[in-house]
Amino acid sequence: MRESWLSARSAVALGGLLLAGVAAAARPDFTGVWGVYREPGAAAPQRGAPQPALPLKPEAKAKIDAYHALVDKSGDTPGGFCLGTGMPGSMLGSGGYPMEIVQHDKMLVVVYEAHTEVRHIYLGERAKEQDLFPDRNGYSFGRWEGDKLIVETTHLKEAVDQARYPHSDQAKIVEEYRLVSNDDGSKVLIANMTLTDPAFYTQPIKSEKKWQYQPGVRLLPYECTEPAWEAHLEELANKKGAH
Amino acid sequence: MTKSLLALLYAAALTPPALAHHSAARFDLTIRDHTVTGIVKEFHPANPHTKIVLEIADDKGKRDVEFEGHSLNNYYRAGWREGMVKLGDKITLYAAPTKDGTDGGYALEVVAADGTRF
């Protein structure tokens, strides 16, 4: 009797393992280097092309206008000061540079080449609220729904300097990633983004980004502050020489 | 002071001042066929933008003119490799001019002395 009960329990456990294995096998692997996708035959996107107006609340528009009044004449940007793009600019293109995804069971690491900006998408245990603090890329927690990866990002800093979608610190960004194949069999990663921000917007903002798999491409280092360090050393050397 | 630090300071002393901040706003990026030819006085591939100084001789006389260019990473992916542009080389830039007509420009493409384009 006991033997048959053990056998039944083993069978159930084995079945569970098999099901888990099937579920894991159904998950796509996003690991690799991804570049900006361009439709076959499409021209390169024009820099500075006009964009549709955003459904901004008046107080948010005033903040963003004040920022642009400061920088538009000089053209200053965070990137020009070696600052990473931050969300959602990072996931929507990051200056046209490639990104690399390293996928693990409990975490995905996304490295955007521009400014070597890194995002961690945690899949295991969510961090405790008291251990989090605001950041330009926020805190990202994901889950698999079949073959789709759903990522929620919170704990963002207010960022009026976002090129396309400025936001407040109340912003929440949900990304939905899925893998498709082109007619030629090449892999395309599609990311649908929804930005919800009751402090800045009257309605959710939606956007789509496509990435093309780039086998054989390696991410390059993006050292940006070294010239400033060299200039500082030169200044020190000049001062020393003057004495 | 260690030898390595001295060497570093010596190297730093040879390094020209870098651009502190970068912006392409002062260039007219709609003009993409304007060319400038000159002798390389400085060539510093860097991120977010490259610094190029050419000695140019034209109607205004002989002088050094500073240009800004794409990032090191973008030039690399377009074919630039270390040593391809050397001091004293005669090179040509496809350079978007400044909006106010002053010297300088944004180097959209570089034609190296051996004809390599990036």
Side-chain angles (χ1 to χ4, degrees), chain A residues 8-131:
Chain A
R9 203 167 79 154
S10 299
V12 168
L14 183 60
L17 282 173
L18 286 172
L19 282 174
V22 169
R27 287 176 193 161
D29 186 4
F30 297 161
T31 294
V33 174
W34 302 83
V36 176
Y37 174 81
R38 194 178 296 168
E39 299 287 346
Q46 288 299 305
R47 195 176 178 181
Q51 300 283 349
L54 298 172
L56 285 164
K57 290 187 169 178
E59 53 272 33
K61 185 175 184 310
K63 278 187 176 182
I64 295 162
D65 287 348
Y67 165 72
H68 282 285
L70 283 177
V71 301
D72 279 3
K73 188 176 178 187
S74 62
D76 287 335
T77 62
F81 283 69
C82 297
L83 184 60
T85 310
M87 281 288 279
S90 48
M91 63 85 46
L92 289 175
S94 195
Y97 291 88
M99 69 168 176
E100 183 164 20
I101 297 178
V102 182
Q103 182 172 324
H104 299 286
D105 286 345
K106 294 194 172 180
M107 178 171 65
L108 285 88
V109 180
V110 187
V111 183
Y112 302 98
E113 181 173 290
H115 304 285
T116 319
E117 202 167 1
V118 179
R119 289 178 66 202
H120 297 88
I121 299 171
Y122 297 97
L123 301 171
E125 190 176 342
R126 185 188 290 270
K128 293 173 184 168
E129 183 64 29
Q130 64 266 30
D131 294 334

Side-chain angles (χ1 to χ4, degrees), chain B residues 31-111:
Chain B
I31 299 174
R32 307 183 77 81
D33 57 355
H34 175 68
T35 59
V36 180
T37 298
I39 304 300
V40 177
K41 301 295 288 288
E42 294 181 27
F43 187 80
H44 297 284
N47 296 310
H49 293 128
T50 290
K51 178 185 177 185
I52 304 167
V53 177
L54 299 184
E55 181 187 276
I56 289 170
D58 59 14
D59 301 347
K60 297 182 193 170
K62 187 191 280 189
R63 64 209 181 281
D64 291 349
V65 177
E66 182 175 324
F67 296 85
E68 195 162 324
H70 290 310
S71 67
L72 182 159
N73 292 25
N74 279 338
Y75 278 148
Y76 176 89
R77 289 212 165 86
W80 168 80
R81 292 295 183 272
E82 188 73 32
M84 200 175 270
V85 176
K86 298 180 284 296
L87 296 185
D89 280 358
K90 187 177 183 180
I91 68 170
T92 296
L93 307 179
Y94 281 80
T98 58
K99 288 175 179 171
D100 62 6
T102 55
D103 274 346
Y106 189 88
L108 301 161
E109 188 173 7
V110 178
V111 185

Side-chain angles (χ1 to χ4, degrees), chain A residues 24 30 86 156 169 209 228 240:
Chain A
F30 297 161
L156 289 157
D169 58 2
K209 172 71 183 175
K240 192 172 176 63

Side-chain angles (χ1 to χ4, degrees), chain A residues 47 74-76 79-82 97-98 113 218 220-224 227 230 233-234 240, chain B residues 1 8-9 12-13 15-18 21-23 25 29 46-48 71 73-74 76-77:
Chain A
R47 195 176 178 181
S74 62
D76 287 335
F81 283 69
C82 297
Y97 291 88
E113 181 173 290
R218 71 182 174 98
L220 298 175
Y222 192 99
E223 193 60 69
C224 187
E230 289 172 342
L233 283 181
E234 182 187 7
K240 192 172 176 63
Chain B
M1 186 175 289
L8 186 64
L9 287 173
T15 306
H21 308 124
H22 306 261
S23 163
L29 296 171
N47 296 310
S71 67
N73 292 25
N74 279 338
Y76 176 89
R77 289 212 165 86

Side-chain angles (χ1 to χ4, degrees), chain A residues 110-221:
Chain A
V110 187
V111 183
Y112 302 98
E113 181 173 290
H115 304 285
T116 319
E117 202 167 1
V118 179
R119 289 178 66 202
H120 297 88
I121 299 171
Y122 297 97
L123 301 171
E125 190 176 342
R126 185 188 290 270
K128 293 173 184 168
E129 183 64 29
Q130 64 266 30
D131 294 334
L132 297 173
F133 55 86
D135 177 73
R136 287 178 68 83
N137 274 306
Y139 175 75
S140 297
F141 193 77
R143 65 181 185 277
W144 289 100
E145 289 186 1
D147 60 353
K148 292 178 185 171
L149 176 69
I150 313 295
V151 182
E152 281 189 14
T153 298
T154 56
H155 298 80
L156 289 157
K157 277 187 173 176
E158 180 174 290
V160 294
D161 57 15
Q162 280 284 314
R164 182 67 190 112
Y165 301 117
H167 58 75
S168 77
D169 58 2
Q170 294 178 43
K172 182 171 101 171
I173 296 170
V174 177
E175 299 153 88
E176 182 181 302
Y177 288 89
R178 63 194 167 92
L179 205 53
V180 299
S181 291
N182 271 335
D183 292 341
D184 62 3
S186 59
K187 291 194 289 187
V188 177
L189 184 62
I190 300 177
N192 286 101
M193 187 274 298
T194 302
L195 165 65
T196 308
D197 184 353
F200 262 41
Y201 293 103
T202 58
Q203 62 190 68
I205 302 292
K206 291 181 181 292
S207 186
E208 183 184 83
K209 172 71 183 175
K210 290 183 178 178
W211 298 89
Q212 180 76 52
Y213 184 57
Q214 296 191 321
V217 172
R218 71 182 174 98
L219 228 58
L220 298 175

